[in-house]
Amino acid sequence: MSIAERISSWLAQVRASGRAVLLVRLVIAAAGTVALVVPAVQSWDQADLIPLVAVPMLVATVALPDSPAGLIFLLVVPAGWLMRAPGELSWSLAVTAIALVVVHLATAFAAQVPSYARVHRDALRRWWLPGAIAALIVPVVAVAAALVQGADVPGSLLITVGALLLATVTIWFAAGQRLGRD
């Protein structure tokens, strides 16, 4: 199959897709753009390689959410923070983290649904509660980590890891997952 035939096939699938599939891909693009723009406008100098790698990965994630491009995007953006950003917690870090959580959840949803599928509202309900919990827990954990970090408490790493584990378990059970096999 030639490149022109692949593009024509993909455009035909986009035309046949439902509103929910297009909406979730728009959410991936919007949240990914926020995750790219917020670090780029910070006072510290972001590495030039980050946008050169992250932008094509974001485009690929929107087009093919079940590809490894989303994982690479989710690894590259935090790598930019870790390489040159200051060590303190800030609102820009929390906004970027929330945007990355939204990219992750929307990509996970879009990867499960073919591009030509029609999605009923009942399928979306399963994602709203875990997504809302994840987006709300990120700033709470960031503030708690900032308070613990400044308090010079012994075992502060254990407290932070415990908070993240509690958040993960909450999201897991809110998504309707079970511990045993079905």
Side-chain angles (χ1 to χ4, degrees), residues 79-150:
W81 277 97
L82 294 173
M83 286 191 310
R84 296 199 178 162
E88 69 266 356
L89 297 172
S90 63
W91 283 106
S92 57
L93 177 63
V95 167
T96 304
I98 291 171
L100 289 173
V101 166
V102 170
V103 168
H104 170 67
L105 291 172
T107 302
F109 179 78
Q112 293 180 358
V113 179
S115 62
Y116 52 84
R118 303 269 181 201
V119 179
H120 195 266
R121 288 185 186 196
D122 291 339
L124 295 174
R125 285 189 193 139
R126 181 174 180 181
W127 288 87
W128 285 116
L129 182 60
I133 290 171
L136 293 174
I137 283 180
V138 168
V140 171
V141 170
V143 168
L147 293 175
V148 169
Q149 184 180 22

